[in-house]
Amino acid sequence: MTTALVTGASAGIGHAFAQRLAREGHDLVVVARDRARLERLATQLRAAHGVDVEVLVADLSDREATDAVCSRLADADRPVDLLVNNAGFGLAGSFLDNEVAQEEAGLDVMVRAVMLTCHAAGRAMRARGHGAIVNVSSVASFIAHGTYSAEKSFVTVFSEGLASELAGTGVTVTALCPGFTRTEFHQRARMKFSALPEFLWLDADDLVQQALTDVAAGKVISVPGAQWKVLAATVRALPRPLVRGVGVRALHRFRRD
């Protein structure tokens, strides 16, 4: 029996991770801002799978709340074997049209909190000689699409660097880079669903299964879905001016009127 800590566990990909890990018999620490949703999730998982589920309410845009999560990850008496850094959100507008406070919150959640939790978990796991970290990034990390791409680029490259630093210690790090996935994420970001071809959509449960398979195999970058593997490889091979053009077109195409 192992314990996994999942941030952003109340919805979307984080919720799918929590469901899958509980089905496989892992105890959980579920982290999100919404206590009511976390408590409902914890009750359901305990009843369905007989696992222990600890609720940790935290807004990762707040440094004090993030420190509480880091303290839990560093607790030697209650070791966390798997960290899934999933918390994040998108913004509908372009950088200069958004409120800077919103942009700063995104940076705090998707960059600062990822760095801090990885530092706490990485040290604790290294000392024990085993563990795994999954940082949920995005295929957007391979293009230039506003601050979201920049933040996810940090997550991808940071994960690669941390994986190299932890090589040989028994601790793995995987940057999970999904494409469009059917969750609440795009509704909250006010993106146009009709603009995207059906074949590009991923199922969250299938995505998580592929991600955990890649984690078990020690992969540093996981891109679920054959269609997204091809697209990601193509984008990464393109000259950067073309990549920037793809980002600009995507920004306009997927913004809701």
Side-chain angles (χ1 to χ4, degrees):
M1 180 85 63
T2 61
T3 298
L5 186 149
V6 182
T7 71
S10 62
I13 292 173
H15 186 272
F17 263 107
Q19 294 282 354
R20 167 71 62 172
L21 291 166
R23 284 200 301 273
E24 294 181 355
H26 301 280
D27 291 334
L28 292 168
V29 182
V30 290
V31 180
R33 296 179 298 173
D34 190 325
R35 178 179 294 276
R37 294 185 75 170
L38 283 181
E39 293 287 2
R40 286 196 297 271
L41 173 64
T43 299
Q44 183 259 317
L45 294 179
R46 292 177 191 129
H49 306 293
V51 296
D52 183 67
V53 184
E54 177 184 345
V55 169
L56 181 52
V57 180
D59 180 349
L60 297 181
S61 67
D62 177 83
R63 177 58 189 263
E64 186 175 344
T66 304
D67 285 345
V69 178
C70 291
S71 294
R72 179 64 184 84
L73 289 164
D75 189 340
D77 295 327
R78 298 180 297 162
V80 171
D81 306 281
L82 170 65
L83 166 63
V84 179
N85 260 321
N86 168 75
F89 59 90
L91 296 172
S94 61
F95 172 63
L96 295 179
D97 291 333
N98 291 329
E99 294 296 327
V100 73
Q102 294 176 301
E103 294 286 357
E104 188 175 16
L107 191 71
D108 289 339
V109 172
M110 291 179 279
V111 175
R112 186 190 66 186
V114 170
M115 180 184 70
L116 293 176
T117 54
C118 282
H119 191 267
R123 279 188 166 187
M125 292 174 181
R126 183 180 63 181
R128 294 193 299 271
H130 67 88
I133 296 171
V134 179
N135 291 325
V136 179
S137 183
S138 171
V139 292
S141 68
F142 306 135
I143 65 172
H145 183 185
T147 48
Y148 185 78
S149 281
E151 288 150 0
K152 291 304 187 181
S153 293
F154 169 87
V155 173
T156 299
V157 176
F158 171 71
S159 299
E160 290 182 285
L162 184 58
S164 296
E165 183 174 343
L166 289 170
T169 67
V171 183
T172 65
V173 182
T174 301
L176 173 59
C177 300
F180 286 92
T181 307
R182 293 201 180 279
T183 69
E184 298 176 14
F185 179 90
H186 302 100
Q187 291 174 319
R188 291 179 176 180
R190 297 180 60 79
M191 293 178 180
K192 292 189 254 184
F193 291 95
S194 60
L196 195 69
E198 180 65 27
F199 79 93
L200 287 179
W201 285 104
L202 297 173
D203 175 78
D205 292 332
D206 292 342
L207 181 159
V208 168
Q209 181 178 11
Q210 180 61 65
L212 291 174
T213 298
D214 288 345
V215 170
K219 288 190 177 182
V220 176
I221 295 181
S222 171
V223 182
Q227 68 276 49
W228 288 105
K229 284 181 172 65
V230 171
L231 286 169
T234 301
V235 168
R236 295 177 86 179
L238 291 174
R240 289 306 290 178
L242 286 179
V243 172
R244 290 194 290 272
V246 169
V248 169
R249 288 191 293 274
L251 181 64
H252 293 294
R253 189 175 185 189
F254 298 114
R255 190 179 301 161
R256 181 172 290 173
D257 295 332

